[in-house]
Amino acid sequence: MNVMTDVQSKGLTQSLAEQARTLRFADIPDETREWARHCVLDYIACGVAGANDELTGILLAELREQGGRESASLFGQVERLPAASAALINGAASHALDFDDVNLAMPGHPSVAILPALLALAEERGSSGADVLTAFVAGYELQCRIGRVVAPGHYNVLGFHATATIGSFGAAAACAHLLDLSQEKFVTALGIAGTQAAGLKSMFGTMCKPLHAGKAAYHGLMAAKLALRGFTGRPDIIECQQGFASTHSPDFHPGRASETPKHGWYIRSNLFKYHAACYMVHASIEASRKLREQYGLIPDRVEQVRVEIEESCDRICNIQAPRTGLEAKFSLRLATAMGLADVDTGRLSTYSESVATQPELVRLRDKVNLDFRVGVPSTFAKVEISLTDGTKLSATHDAGIPATDTADQGRRLEKKFVGLVEPVLGSQRCQALIAGIGDFDRLEDLNELMRLAGA
């Protein structure tokens, strides 16, 4: 991918749109395509597993009543709905478990904002897998560049949920690419998406957080389709006065849009989850596990626990005494206790009211003290333990380091996929989905693949 060099001469929105719009399948290296397929694999796994969540059912009941042309599939359902409705429901379902991928450049969840919209549109249009994969990468890269431009204040200071806000741009760009919009209509689609961009971190621990992913997909898809029909909007939505950057962040660094990411692609820094909780608790879980495994710790021997972590986590995942499974996903104290107590944090049933309020786990949770620091990575944690005999132990972990072995990552994701999908769809369909996603960019259309992910 060519690095953008004309931000100042053309304008930021125009330059980002041109870079995304002109991306072609042949421009994407083989290994980067593999990472994109990994994103699709992980997204579908999370979507199928989240299809029976309570919040998904509520959304389905509402949008089923609204009706419309049945053009796109729903995870775990026989019925079909209009593309925009399917994008909203599938997007929320795939984020319902908080088990989907992350990119720190946004910072947020990239795939659940883009793929629900893109796959629904692809079904409606009969698009090929190669075209969809190219559009996905185009939208992914654009949203990460926008995330860098307004970091860190957009997310850390003002409290916007970037999956919802910046994800709307990514979904719009991906859908605009698949629709082959002209440059003029492409930037219009970004403008329409930008004026809809909303979503607050204060909603973490409620059904509104998964709704953010669905709404990002919905907004992006509608933005691209409205632009195609001639709807108007500003062509400089990111940088204009009272535009996205000035209203959504105290920080604006347009030069970051032209930076070359590691490996040349932001998607190569995608982070996949193996714990079904907020990504900012993963480092604490891993450090706690290291201590338990290395020293054979028994919870009754633990006197006190201190977790050193970046200060913004206080506003992301510091529900002190969670009562529900959803709240448990955003509790650093409980996550640390789970790691020390050998609780399976990759199992969906772990995040329940019964586990969150289990007396032994609550006693261990209440021994955890959080020490928020400035200047350490948000994905880093240091866990220090004082034992009843006076022994002090410590371990660290940084969950922000992407995998270096693509093949091993694929094997781990297939194992995760089987664990999430097989209980819902059975072994035969699960394996057929894995095979189909492996051949994603060789598929003539995605109708059979999406049908397999239905009920």
Side-chain angles (χ1 to χ4, degrees):
M1 176 181 281
N2 294 326
V3 177
M4 181 174 53
T5 59
D6 53 0
V7 169
Q8 293 183 341
S9 62
K10 292 185 178 179
L12 180 57
T13 308
Q14 290 281 355
S15 298
L16 286 169
E18 183 176 356
Q19 186 181 34
R21 187 180 65 84
T22 57
L23 181 69
R24 296 295 175 260
F25 183 74
D27 299 331
I28 307 172
D30 288 343
E31 190 170 29
T32 303
R33 294 176 193 169
E34 183 67 11
W35 278 68
R37 287 190 291 270
H38 286 175
C39 291
V40 175
L41 183 75
D42 194 63
Y43 159 72
I44 291 179
C46 293
V48 170
N52 292 322
D53 194 272
E54 181 184 4
L55 70 91
T56 310
I58 293 172
L59 290 171
L60 176 57
E62 175 60 30
L63 293 173
R64 181 190 287 132
E65 284 188 6
Q66 294 183 19
R69 184 159 63 97
E70 300 175 354
S71 57
S73 301
L74 300 174
F75 291 133
Q77 304 291 330
V78 174
E79 66 188 294
R80 294 160 65 88
L81 286 179
S85 296
L88 198 160
I89 293 172
N90 287 340
S94 58
H95 197 44
L97 307 175
D98 226 298
F99 211 177
D100 51 293
D101 62 20
V102 170
N103 195 301
L104 300 179
M106 288 181 62
H109 302 267
S111 297
V112 295
I114 297 174
L115 286 172
L118 190 58
L119 294 179
L121 181 61
E123 278 193 275
E124 187 177 66
R125 294 177 58 82
S127 303
S128 72
D131 286 346
V132 172
L133 194 79
T134 308
F136 172 55
V137 174
Y140 190 112
E141 299 297 307
L142 176 139
Q143 74 181 5
C144 287
R145 292 185 184 277
I146 294 176
R148 294 278 295 128
V149 162
V150 295
H154 176 71
Y155 187 85
N156 287 351
V157 178
L158 297 187
F160 285 105
H161 185 201
T163 305
T165 53
I166 295 168
S168 297
F169 286 108
C175 291
H177 191 288
L178 195 65
L179 290 170
D180 196 24
L181 296 188
S182 66
Q183 177 71 10
E184 179 183 5
K185 290 186 175 182
F186 203 112
V187 294
T188 298
L190 295 182
I192 299 168
T195 202
Q196 298 179 89
L200 303 175
K201 288 196 315 185
S202 59
M203 288 295 180
F204 287 10
T206 77
M207 291 182 181
C208 287
K209 185 175 190 281
L211 178 64
H212 290 167
K215 288 291 282 183
Y218 179 91
H219 290 154
L221 177 56
M222 291 301 295
K225 296 182 87 170
L226 288 173
L228 177 65
R229 291 181 181 273
F231 210 83
T232 63
R234 288 196 67 129
D236 55 355
I237 186 63
I238 300 170
E239 70 273 23
C240 70
Q241 186 177 11
Q242 296 187 331
F244 180 78
S246 66
T247 60
H248 284 64
S249 182
D251 302 303
F252 183 39
H253 308 284
R256 290 180 179 172
S258 61
E259 293 176 352
T260 302
K262 190 176 182 180
H263 305 297
W265 301 83
Y266 281 105
I267 199 170
R268 289 290 310 281
S269 293
N270 195 78
L271 299 167
F272 294 97
K273 285 187 173 185
Y274 303 101
H275 307 291
C278 174
Y279 203 76
M280 297 304 113
V281 308
H282 286 213
S284 183
I285 292 172
E286 292 290 347
S288 298
R289 283 185 167 183
K290 288 179 186 178
L291 290 171
R292 187 195 73 241
E293 293 170 359
Q294 184 174 353
Y295 298 103
L297 288 182
I298 299 171
D300 287 345
R301 295 179 57 207
V302 176
E303 182 73 26
Q304 289 292 326
V305 183
R306 173 180 167 272
V307 180
E308 183 179 309
I309 199 158
E310 202 265 331
E311 60 91 20
S312 69
C313 295
D314 187 25
R315 301 182 295 277
I316 300 171
C317 50
N318 188 20
I319 296 178
Q320 292 279 308
R323 302 290 301 177
T324 68
L326 194 52
E327 288 180 345
K329 293 172 181 284
F330 298 91
S331 176
L332 271 163
R333 299 174 75 219
L334 185 64
T336 305
M338 286 177 171
L340 291 172
D342 197 19
V343 175
D344 185 355
T345 50
R347 191 178 63 197
L348 300 182
S349 59
T350 293
Y351 298 91
S352 64
E353 180 179 352
S354 62
V355 174
T357 58
Q358 182 183 3
E360 295 83 0
L361 198 57
V362 168
R363 280 196 293 272
L364 186 57
R365 179 203 73 194
D366 289 344
K367 296 177 181 179
V368 178
N369 300 292
L370 304 178
D371 184 0
F372 295 104
R373 297 295 184 96
V374 176
V376 298
S378 60
T379 54
F380 174 87
K382 180 179 181 180
V383 176
E384 296 181 338
I385 297 179
S386 299
L387 301 182
T388 52
D389 64 2
T391 302
K392 297 185 183 299
L393 308 170
S394 70
T396 63
H397 186 81
D398 189 347
I401 301 173
T404 55
D405 187 333
T406 300
D408 180 67
Q409 176 173 268
R411 288 188 288 270
R412 292 189 74 187
L413 289 173
E414 284 193 14
K415 181 179 179 181
K416 176 183 174 182
F417 189 96
V418 171
L420 292 176
V421 174
E422 191 172 273
V424 181
L425 300 180
S427 177
Q428 185 173 354
R429 288 173 69 184
C430 176
Q431 292 302 318
L433 276 167
I434 291 173
I437 296 166
D439 287 333
F440 191 84
D441 38 307
R442 291 183 286 274
L443 298 176
E444 292 185 5
D445 65 63
L446 305 183
N447 290 310
E448 176 61 18
L449 184 72
M450 294 305 294
R451 187 193 67 77
L452 285 169

